[in-house]
């Protein structure tokens, strides 16, 4: 279709065609073999999702999950990929409905099992669009709008976290973001490592993290060849915060052993207790010893969107790198992980392989927009679009309101637990939206609290969780903190979507109490 230049020198956008069968409703009927025009399935998917309770307000009217044991589920759904002929549209829709029926409704009002939950509708829209476009963004040529969108997201996040004129990239999850940080720190510490490898370094490199930090740091030192023997887990206090004095002692001990400290991982919102390390004090230690400071803010970084709660991130701007996952508390669709770095150009210098078939230097446009060589991946999802569209639709005020509401509902849950007989808090004071607690059934409350009693309580916690899963009423995770000598307790995670209320918090408490009282003694 021909276009004419508009007054701004760019071509006018052509009108949207209505000649497509998906748009005008003239999809072809099944052919002689029973196979249907494959694009008609898209007509039905949205309705199927709504019918099965995965979209909109009807979600909470269904069970959180219809749990079936693995071997039984294999009898209900035909999992082997042994089809020889095309399936009819009706068969494909039936398969989709089966998969949905036995999946977990993470957008349910009573799903609090993970660090993520329901999806933001604008983020979901962005996810659908990127999947339909099926593109990558290693070059401006193949992803023009998305390249500029990622630039805009990185620029915004650099300003949010006060990282100056730094750089960044969207990664496939927080574990990868943390590994990007380790690779950048390693390269900055020993630039020759890119050529000679870690096996030929003059002294082993050592990573420090807290004992409450995410396990991705443990996996990272293995994957990157640093070795588990060169990972030091620093003591944390009762709240789960790294103890700066313990960090300094650990660094000095490593130096005395003839190894080289090069990377400290601090945490903004630990996985279990939601603890925030003291970034200023840790930065002071890192500065004294010339060690790279990275902050894993994958969970707690969302606090930066709230004027009321961003104080939790005080001192984070002193780090050399930071990871944040909007797909956790904020509800961007999985996956959406942002890695930020203070030193502009280091990502490219560290990771570039200079593939001349893709990153040609004589292109007809500004090749500085070809950002793929700073990534370890070639094909890369355009994850930035999901968060970008959420921000465009809601604005900073709308996102802040979502975050503040999550914090307010966590506070409501905390207060309800304090005043409800039979419930015990793991922490009387908390920092983020993770609330941890036990429920003690009435038939245990008068018994002496011996070690055996506590072991029984830990088992009761797991038993309550099992019954709630099988009934499909609530999903709340339970976890132990074995390094602190604590067994199973409930870890309730309050997120932005679906928007929680004090009433939904009360429902969880009521259900745990009801199920706990029905357990066999």
């Amino acid at each position: 279709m021909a276009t004419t230049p508009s007054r701004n020198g760019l071509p006018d956008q052509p009108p949207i065609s209505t000649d497509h069968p998906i748009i005008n409703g003239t999809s072809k009927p099944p052919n002689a073999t029973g196979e249907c025009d494959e694009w008609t399935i898209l007509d039905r998917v949205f309705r199927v999702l709504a019918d099965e309770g995965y979209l909109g307000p009807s979600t909470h009217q269904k069970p959180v999950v219809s749990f079936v044991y693995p071997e039984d589920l294999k009898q209900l759904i035909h999992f082997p990929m042994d089809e020889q002929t095309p399936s009819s549209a009706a068969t494909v829709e039936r398969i989709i409905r089966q998969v949905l029926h036995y999946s977990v409704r993470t957008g349910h009002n009573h799903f609090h099992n993970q660090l993520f939950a329901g999806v933001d509708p604008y983020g979901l829209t962005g996810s659908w669009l990127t999947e339909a476009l099926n593109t990558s963004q290693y070059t401006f040529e193949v992803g023009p709008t998305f390249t500029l969108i990622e630039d805009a997201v990185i620029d915004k996040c650099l300003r949010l976290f006060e990282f100056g004129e730094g750089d960044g990239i969207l990664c496939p999850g927080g574990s990868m973001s943390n590994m990007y940080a380790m690779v950048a720190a390693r390269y900055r510490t020993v630039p020759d490592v890119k050529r000679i490898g870690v096996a030929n370094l003059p002294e082993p490199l050592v990573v420090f993290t807290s004992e409450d930090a995410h396990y991705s740091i443990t996996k990272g030192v293995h994957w990157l060849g640093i070795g588990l023997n060169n990972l030091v887990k620093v003591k944390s206090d009762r709240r789960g915060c790294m103890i700066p004095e313990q960090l300094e002692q650990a660094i000095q001990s490593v130096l005395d052993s003839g190894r080289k400290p090069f990377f400290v991982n601090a945490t903004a919102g630990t996985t279990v207790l939601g603890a925030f390390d003291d970034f200023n004090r840790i930065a002071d230690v890192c500065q004294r010893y010339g060690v790279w400071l990275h902050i894993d803010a994958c969970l707690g970084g969302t606090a930066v969107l709230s004027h009321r709660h961003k104080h939790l991130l005080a001192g984070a701007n002193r780090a050399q790198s930071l990871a944040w996952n909007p797909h956790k508390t904020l509800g961007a669709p999985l996956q959406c992980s942002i890695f930020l770095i203070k030193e502009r150009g280091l990502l490219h210098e560290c990771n570039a392989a200079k593939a001349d078939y893709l990153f040609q230097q004589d292109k007809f446009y500004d090749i500085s927009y070809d950002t793929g060589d700073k990534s370890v991946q070639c094909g890369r999802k355009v994850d930035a679009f999901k968060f970008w569209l959420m921000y465009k639709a809601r604005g900073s005020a709308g996102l802040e309101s979502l975050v503040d509401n999550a914090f307010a509902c966590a506070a409501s849950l905390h207060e309800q637990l304090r005043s409800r007989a039979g419930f015990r808090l793991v922490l009387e004071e908390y920092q983020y939206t993770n609330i941890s607690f036990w429920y003690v059934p009435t038939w245990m409350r008068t018994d002496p609290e011996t070690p055996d009693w506590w072991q029984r309580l830990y088992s009761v916690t797991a038993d309550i969780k099992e019954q709630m899963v099988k009934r499909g009423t609530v999903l709340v995770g339970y976890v132990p903190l074995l390094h602190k000598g604590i067994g199973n307790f409930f870890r309730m995670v309050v997120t932005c979507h679906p928007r929680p209320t004090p009433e939904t918090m009360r429902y969880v408490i009521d259900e745990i109490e009801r199920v706990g009282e029905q357990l066999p003694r």
Side-chain angles (χ1 to χ4, degrees), residues 79-123:
F79 289 103
M81 300 165 66
D82 54 10
E83 287 75 16
Q84 299 297 314
T85 59
S87 299
S88 67
T91 298
V92 174
E93 181 176 332
R94 177 176 56 80
I95 292 170
I96 291 171
R97 287 185 180 274
Q98 285 180 314
V99 170
L100 289 174
H101 181 76
Y102 294 107
S103 294
V104 175
R105 292 174 175 81
T106 59
H108 198 288
N109 285 350
H110 307 313
F111 176 87
H112 305 281
N113 208 66
Q114 316 303 141
L115 300 178
F116 65 88
V119 67
D120 185 291
Y122 297 109

Side-chain angles (χ1 to χ4, degrees), residues 99 107 130 152 172 187 190 192 201 229 241 301 310 326-327 340 345 353 359 398 411 414 445 494 501 511 514:
V99 170
T130 58
Y187 180 79
V190 190
D192 212 26
L201 294 178
N229 288 344
C241 303
K310 67 180 181 180
H327 71 231
L340 303 177
F359 306 113
H414 186 263
R445 293 178 198 171
V494 184
T501 65
E511 184 65 9
R514 185 175 70 83

